[in-house]
Structure formats: structure tokens, C-alpha cells
Amino acid sequence: MTSKVGYNIDLEKRLQGSVPKKGHTQAHPTLLSSTSSSDDPRDVLQGEDRAWFSHWKPFLAGLLLSLVVVQQFPRSEQPVICSPNASSVCPAASPIAPSVHADLLKQLEISYATEGFKINSFALLGGAVKIPTEMFDDMKVPGQDPRWDVFNQLHGYIDSHFIQVYRELRKTTINTYGLVYHWQGSNPDLKPLLLTAHQDVVPVEPLTVDTWLYPPFSGTWDGKWIWGRGSCDDKPGLIGSLTAIEKLLEKGFKPQRTIVLAFGIDEERGGIVGGTGIRDYLLSAYGPNAFALLIDEGGTLEAHSDGVIATPAVAEKGHFDLRMSISTPGGHSSVPPEHTSIGILAALIAELEANPFTPHLYRNEPYFTALQCQALVDPEMDDELRDLIGKARYSDKALADLEERLFRNPLSRALAGTTQATDIVHGGVKTNALPENAFAIVNHRIAGHSSVSTVKTHIAAVLLPIVKKFNLSLDAFGESLNGELSQKTSGHLKLSDAWGTALEPAPVTPWLKNPAYDLLAGTILNVVKTSARWNNPDIPVIVAPGTMTGNTGITGI
């Protein structure tokens, strides 16, 4: 693709200025979490599993309408600076609004402001949330695992609630459940736009169901929030895109530029079936470098008292799931060795956690640019930090001081470096039997300046002293690193890619003098300035490049 800019449209809900963030597990965090907080006690319960919105659908419609009707991308020879006193480190495109179809957008905005439309929107998303399209790491391909069957229910729901989309757009199914919709434009000389989302959600731990304020697949609207798994990630992207297209079709709108919608089915496990299948189909049907712009989930829209900061993600971290498998002799637990396989595994996990990856700020990365932009408009930022961010542009000492201050915050560390989290541990089958096998899976999100091979090298180096301490043989990603071990070892450690889904950090979409980025940024600027939340064309709005800490649904595109 020629350009990839991620932007999670459902995060328009943050325009309301009262969305809680403390304890929030949304995968696309704010730049500096210390600048906002919430006293909402529900916020520590289910994290991302509720969505609150009354303006995100109009925002999406305005964005789609602008993207659809603009025939040529804006020229970016002279980037507009966010502030008269700002450095060119924080550029942004000029606001872009539809001209030919300005009246149509006004009609849609009036429609979206009605109570009936809002109630219907809540019901549409809630209905989709009720369908438990859970994605498990161990699912076989469609047709060989009954857990896929629930996706049929979601497809029926989409077909019955988005009648115009069903009638007017050409639908192709990929690997049974992946969906690609084609909306033909009138001008074949314009490259299509590609809008993506994913249908699947993270599974719910059965033992936690009773702790939910509302059942995890209730889709309950409590007057402010839509509750349930997938209410943020990513069914608002799915339902929001379809709603915007449906309303445009109802108005008889005909795009000049072809629009393609692609909805994955297994984003939550890396897109093994859905992402790769959709990728291959799009390359076959449209060819390489066929799309003018790809918009996926990823990014934030933050409301502050004196301005708005939007950070569409132009970068995406890599992904690597480490599997550490320990094998030791079995036996009866009444005559145990000094350390069982589970005990050794615990030591390995502790060693990894004691030696995390060191985060760094790099001046050429999106996060650094986003910090510069935030310093321009965020009135909640203290002057000392604002000054330090500015000086870091040219002073290495200031850059180091900024790292020291920012990295006290886990969120800032996560945005600036590679992260690791031990998420799965398994071992033992009986209380009186020594565990012969134990394993753990450690999830890594790889910083843009790093790589899968760098992560593997770090892991092997960190664990080697523990391997020697317990006299283990070692297979580190296919390489034997036994070194100075005695002839008789007490066990074997194998390090491997848990699911075979390792993914390098995505290439960064240029945000300077890039017509594709300027189109998205300019549209965001205009929609925010004209939204019902402010209706103030003079409100300061900054669009800065962001980084997605997760991985998007159409993996491999």
C-alpha cells in the first residue's frame, strides 16, 4: 500500500471531555496519561469493555464524506505550523471540508443530532456486542472448529441492519468469515480508499464473569456507556463504518473514488487466517500499491480545556510471543528435586522481568513529534515539562532528562520502547506428581527502532545465566547454547515463537509533506472544529503523528 494511517474513529467519544482513563486498558493510549484522570469507580473494572459515545458516528461520517468526495489529495509543499511560535517539528495540514457536497454533510449532521438516531446507534452497537465473536489462540481454521460458527450470527446481523450496504456494495467473503465490501467509484483514475476493522474480540475469562458490572456480552446502554466485550475494540469501527456508508447510500450519494471495506476475523491472535487471507485477496483483486490511503484502528483524540490533540497512528509496533518450555524428569512429589520445572520457570520469568527493555526517545520517531505538539496546546502540562520537551529538540542532556522524567510513567515507557508481559503460564497435572513439563508465554510489543531478532538476542542473553545456574540444556530459537554446562543436565529449556506470528514493526507512514496524511489530518481538523461539541472554528486543534502499541486487524497488508 502507498500509505497506511491508523485512526480509531470510535475514540471521537473522548471529544466529550469526560471519558475516564484511570486503569483504562485501551490499546491506543494518550501521550501523557498524567494529564488526565477520572474518579469514575467503574473505570477500574472492565477497562476497554465499555464505550461511551454520542458524536463519534457523525465524526466518522464527516471524515468518510470528505475522504470520499475529494478527488485530489492536498499538496504539501508548505506545511502549516500548528502555532505561530511553533517549530516545524509540529506541522499539520490545513482544514479540509467537502465543497461540492457541503449541503449533504449538513443534512447528515442534522440527522445525526436527533435523539432517534442516537438511540438507534446505541442499539446497533449494543446488538453487535451481544454476539460473542471471541477469538482464541488455539482455534483451528474455519470449518474445523465450531467456535467460528458465531461469526455467521454477526454476518446475519450486518446484512439485516445495513440494508443499503447489502444491496449496493459487492461483498466477498475471505476464508469463510472475512468480509470485503467494494463500493465502486465513478472515476477510475482515482486510487481507492481502504477502511478496515475487525469482527473478533478478546475472550472473556469465565471465572471473572460474576465480577462484571454488566454481563460481558450484554451490550447494555446505561445512559452513558455501552457495556460489553468489543464495545471499544473494535466493533465501533465495524458498526461505525457501516453506519456512515449506509446513511450516505440512503441519501443517494455516489462516490467518485472507489471505497473498499475490509473486516478481519482474528486480529486478536495476529490475523493468521483473516488478515493474511484478506491481504492476499486485495493484492490479487486490486494489485500492489493499489490504494491511496488505508485507515485502520489506532490513535487517540484528546479533549483539553483549551484545545484538542488528535494523534492518528502512523507507526505500529512489532509483535513477538515468546514460548519458554521447560522439561525435567518426572517422579513422585514426596521425593522432589531442589527445583521443579515450575520453580525453574518462575526463576526465568523473574529474570526477564528484572531485565526489561530500555526505552529511548528518538527525535525522528512519531512519539517525540507528538510530545512537541502536545506541549504547544495542552494547558494542563506543567511549564517545567513543557520547557524540557522544547529543549530536547536540540539538547542531548535535555533529551536524557526528559526520558528520566517521562519514563517514571509506565504508559510513556510503553510508547517509547519494547514491552514484555508474561500472560500465560501452565504446568503440572497432579498435586503428587512432579511436573515434567511447564511453559510460559511472554508477549512482546516491539518498538519501531528495534526488531524481532534484537528481541530474541536480548531474551537469550538475559536467560543464559539462569540456564547455567540450573544446569539446563538450551535451544534458543533453533540454536544450541549449552556452553559450559556439565555433561548431565537437570532439564531442558526451549525458547521459540509461540504461535509462529512474529511481526516486525510496520514501516512508518511519513507525516511531513505527505498528501495522504494531510488529507486525513485536514479532515480531522475540519470535523473537530465544526462538530456539535464546540462548533468553534477558532478552537486550537493539533493533529500529531501517533504510534499504535498493538497490532491492527488486517495483519500483513
Side-chain angles (χ1 to χ4, degrees):
M1 305 309 164
T2 57
S3 178
K4 179 176 181 180
V5 179
Y7 189 67
N8 196 343
I9 303 302
D10 77 287
L11 290 176
E12 167 21 2
K13 61 184 178 284
R14 297 196 180 213
L15 281 172
Q16 304 300 316
S18 60
V19 178
K21 294 182 239 349
K22 186 192 306 176
H24 197 275
T25 58
Q26 173 65 32
H28 322 297
T30 59
L31 302 179
L32 295 169
S33 60
S34 59
T35 62
S36 57
S37 62
S38 166
D39 295 322
D40 192 330
R42 297 173 301 178
D43 202 48
V44 299
L45 297 177
Q46 281 97 281
E48 67 180 31
D49 299 306
R50 70 251 190 275
W52 180 78
F53 59 101
S54 60
H55 288 79
W56 69 267
K57 286 179 186 285
F59 179 86
L60 176 58
L63 178 64
L64 284 177
L65 185 59
S66 293
L67 292 174
V68 167
V69 302
V70 174
Q71 294 188 49
Q72 300 295 332
F73 283 12
R75 303 182 68 175
S76 306
E77 296 172 356
Q78 297 294 329
V80 178
I81 305 305
C82 296
S83 163
N85 300 318
S87 145
S88 60
V89 74
C90 183
S94 300
I96 298 173
S99 55
V100 175
H101 296 282
D103 290 341
L104 173 58
L105 180 57
K106 289 181 181 179
Q107 294 174 29
L108 289 170
E109 290 286 3
I110 292 172
S111 173
Y112 294 152
T114 64
E115 194 65 21
F117 177 82
K118 294 178 183 179
I119 297 300
N120 185 61
S121 298
F122 303 153
L124 279 174
L125 178 57
V129 170
K130 290 178 181 179
I131 302 172
T133 50
E134 295 174 289
M135 179 50 51
F136 299 87
D137 288 334
D138 63 346
M139 284 176 71
K140 299 177 182 179
V141 298
Q144 299 181 16
D145 194 319
R147 288 176 291 181
W148 285 102
D149 293 349
V150 70
F151 284 82
N152 288 317
Q153 185 180 345
L154 180 61
H155 291 188
Y157 181 85
I158 292 172
D159 291 345
S160 63
H161 287 81
F162 299 97
I163 304 299
Q164 298 300 321
V165 170
Y166 178 77
R167 290 175 178 171
E168 301 294 333
L169 273 60
R170 185 177 76 238
K171 182 175 78 171
T172 302
T173 56
I174 310 298
N175 287 339
T176 307
Y177 298 112
L179 297 175
V180 176
Y181 292 89
H182 178 100
W183 192 9
Q184 182 61 46
S186 60
N187 188 342
D189 294 330
L190 298 178
K191 285 187 173 184
L193 299 179
L194 177 59
L195 310 176
T196 70
H198 61 91
Q199 307 168 52
D200 57 309
V201 302
V202 174
V204 174
E205 168 56 60
L207 296 178
T208 69
V209 170
D210 291 341
T211 69
W212 287 62
L213 187 60
Y214 296 97
F217 295 106
S218 65
T220 300
W221 176 47
D222 66 1
K224 181 178 180 181
W225 298 88
I226 302 292
W227 289 85
R229 186 70 100 203
S231 59
C232 276
D233 183 14
D234 180 35
K235 287 183 177 176
L238 173 73
I239 299 300
S241 298
L242 290 168
T243 298
I245 299 296
E246 182 79 3
K247 294 304 176 184
L248 290 170
L249 286 167
E250 288 177 358
K251 293 291 185 179
F253 179 76
K254 303 290 185 182
Q256 294 188 51
R257 188 185 298 275
T258 294
I259 308 299
V260 179
L261 309 177
F263 301 141
I265 53 177
D266 57 351
E267 186 271 353
E268 298 297 354
R269 67 165 183 177
I272 300 172
V273 173
T276 55
I278 291 175
R279 174 202 62 196
D280 294 343
Y281 169 77
L282 293 177
L283 286 170
S284 173
Y286 298 93
N289 300 317
F291 294 95
L293 181 66
L294 188 168
I295 300 182
D296 205 342
E297 61 174 328
T300 62
L301 195 63
E302 285 297 317
H304 298 271
S305 57
D306 294 328
V308 175
I309 303 171
T311 55
V314 300
E316 180 176 308
K317 282 189 164 187
H319 175 101
F320 177 67
D321 287 320
L322 164 69
R323 183 185 181 101
M324 298 189 295
S325 301
I326 288 282
S327 301
T328 57
H332 199 278
S333 59
S334 61
V335 189
E338 187 176 359
H339 302 284
T340 68
S341 62
I342 294 176
I344 296 172
L345 183 62
L348 292 166
I349 294 171
E351 190 70 8
L352 282 179
E353 294 190 346
N355 294 275
F357 295 82
T358 303
H360 286 295
L361 291 175
Y362 292 89
R363 294 185 179 97
N364 62 342
E365 288 194 334
Y367 181 45
F368 184 82
T369 298
L371 288 171
Q372 301 297 322
C373 295
Q374 184 177 8
L376 294 174
V377 299
D378 186 357
E380 301 169 16
M381 181 181 293
D382 67 74
D383 291 339
E384 180 182 349
L385 178 58
R386 193 187 314 277
D387 182 61
L388 194 58
I389 290 173
K391 289 180 178 178
R393 292 199 301 268
Y394 53 83
S395 168
D396 289 345
K397 182 181 184 305
L399 185 67
D401 291 342
L402 180 60
E403 287 183 343
E404 192 280 328
R405 173 158 179 177
L406 287 181
F407 296 162
R408 301 170 194 168
N409 185 303
L411 178 56
S412 295
R413 292 199 302 271
L415 285 169
T418 297
T419 60
Q420 60 183 18
T422 303
D423 296 322
I424 298 175
V425 177
H426 184 271
V429 295
K430 191 75 168 62
T431 57
N432 63 349
L434 295 176
E436 298 178 71
N437 298 287
F439 72 86
I441 297 178
V442 185
N443 176 258
H444 295 80
R445 302 303 172 105
I446 306 171
H449 54 263
S450 187
S451 65
V452 173
S453 63
T454 299
V455 169
K456 290 181 177 180
T457 300
H458 171 88
I459 292 169
V462 167
L463 296 182
L464 193 56
I466 303 301
V467 168
K468 294 179 179 179
K469 175 182 177 181
F470 291 102
N471 194 36
L472 304 172
S473 60
L474 172 62
D475 175 351
F477 313 109
E479 182 179 356
S480 176
L481 298 175
N482 296 328
E484 304 170 0
L485 299 176
S486 63
Q487 195 70 18
K488 184 178 181 181
T489 61
S490 58
H492 179 71
L493 169 64
K494 181 178 181 179
L495 307 177
S496 62
D497 181 343
W499 316 110
T501 56
L503 189 68
E504 297 289 354
V508 177
T509 296
W511 63 90
L512 294 174
K513 299 184 179 181
N514 179 356
Y517 179 83
D518 285 349
L519 175 62
L520 178 63
T523 303
I524 293 171
L525 285 168
N526 179 72
V527 173
V528 171
K529 286 176 176 290
T530 58
S531 72
R533 173 66 173 88
W534 290 283
N535 194 26
N536 177 10
D538 298 322
I539 188 171
V541 181
I542 281 181
V543 181
T547 299
M548 186 170 181
T549 55
N551 302 110
T552 51
I554 313 302
T555 304
I557 288 183

